[in-house]
Amino acid sequence: MERRYQSGMGKSKVAILFLWVLFALSVILHLNVEAKPSSLLEKEIEAKLKQLNKPAVKTIKSEDGDIIDCVDIYKQPAFDHPALKNHTIKMMPDFLRESEESRRNNASESESDIIQIWQKSGSCPKGTVPIRRILKEDLLRYASLDYFGRKPPAVFKNSTYPYNFNLSNAKINNFIPENRSSAYLVTLGYNYIGAQADINVWNPKIDIPEDFTTAQIWLKNNNNQNFESVESGWMVNPKLYHDGATRFFAYWTRDSYKSTGCFDVFCPGFVVTGQVALGAAISPVSSYFGKQYDINVGLFLPNSGNWYLKIKNNVPVGYWPAEILGSLRHSAILVEWGGQVSSTNIKKETPHTGTGMGSGDFANGRYGSANFMRNVRIKDYSQSLKYPEHVNAVADEPYCYSALNDVKYGVEPVFYFGGPGRKPPYCP
């Protein structure tokens, strides 16, 4: 009897031990399975950082926390694009530069005050260009590395402009993105080879972490849902840039943001040639009924087929090479000046995002209250900079963000735009 009891006890111990072994094996197996994707992600992040951050000749630490790498001009990210394998850098043509005397005469006091914050801490040596360094935590804010540095794809609905721009009697199809809200001045024509404006600089608030807001210029090759565009201006985008600072940006796409193009130099394409760091913060910004600051932004297409970007009338930033463009390498047919808020909480019943556009105030507040663009210009094959012959002010959600072209006899028109977003009861 005693032997049977001891034997039963032995079997119980063996069974318990066996269960513990199974449990331990399952834990180890689980940890091993979990470790594999984590390890793979780490490798993907390291590869992406290596692709984005090229070896620096000199590194500048900005007082705002940015790190600017001075990279050999021929080793910058642009040349990872397969179409640019044999590309030779082409500096901005002299005829696109204004003389220094002319620039001083044309530039406003507020424009001359605008700087990029990193420039207080140093400059890049000759033969190098400034590239803002991307950190691991920047990549981790995105669910997929494939979407880093890109606008979310536009979801379109078909509508029409209530204007015909005096070009024909037919109304013009307007494919309005459902996940964007814009307020802009638009001109439609043929063979635009340049556009510019002095863009008032503000720092609007962001309501939802995924949102971003811009004040910019767009040049497009058509007005349907498969447009191609080059764009530039200022933006507040905490998800992309880690903070709420106002930053100078550039963007390009060949397919309405679906799979091509990106902000700044977060993908191969844009060739940096000057001493302006795309994505770096600009300062100072305007204040309500205080001092107003604006910065001249211009995009121009000379005979090379490259779209050149410059600021402050004659300061080169770089260019979008013809090799990465489609029909836009010949000319644009649509130019827009204004602001845009990207959010999943727009064009719905409630709640609307409270992310501001421009100054965060409506266009009818005008100077000192609303965001403005002045000295609006286009260039066509006449090669002269001029105010567009036909323009219209358009707002997707006029009770959330508005647009107003202030035209007075004998005075240069000024375009105002912006708004607070959610503001019950009109924009609940």
Side-chain angles (χ1 to χ4, degrees), residues 90-104 106 196 273-275 296 300 302 308-319 379 385:
K90 301 175 181 65
M91 296 297 182
M92 189 170 74
D94 289 340
F95 70 83
L96 287 182
R97 297 174 182 262
E98 292 189 7
S99 68
E100 185 62 22
E101 181 179 359
S102 174
R103 191 199 70 80
R104 284 197 300 266
N106 291 335
Q196 70 175 31
T273 60
Q275 292 300 305
N296 175 271
F300 295 93
Y308 285 84
L309 174 61
K310 62 176 185 171
I311 61 172
K312 296 189 176 185
N313 293 290
N314 74 341
V315 177
V317 179
Y319 62 92
K379 179 184 278 192
L385 272 175

Side-chain angles (χ1 to χ4, degrees), residues 143-202:
S144 169
L145 296 183
D146 293 336
Y147 291 110
F148 177 73
R150 289 170 49 192
K151 291 186 181 183
V155 181
F156 290 96
K157 64 178 180 180
N158 196 356
S159 181
T160 57
Y161 281 123
Y163 316 106
N164 61 17
F165 297 91
N166 294 326
L167 293 176
S168 70
N169 292 324
K171 289 187 177 181
I172 301 164
N173 285 333
N174 179 30
F175 293 85
I176 302 173
E178 292 183 343
N179 52 350
R180 315 271 204 275
S181 190
S182 304
Y184 53 96
L185 188 72
V186 58
T187 186
L188 180 67
Y190 303 99
N191 300 326
Y192 295 128
I193 56 172
Q196 70 175 31
D198 299 338
I199 305 177
N200 191 201
V201 180
W202 289 83

Side-chain angles (χ1 to χ4, degrees), residues 71-87:
V71 176
D72 184 307
I73 193 169
Y74 275 101
K75 295 179 180 178
Q76 61 179 295
F79 295 105
D80 288 338
H81 197 292
L84 301 179
K85 185 177 181 181
N86 299 313
H87 183 81

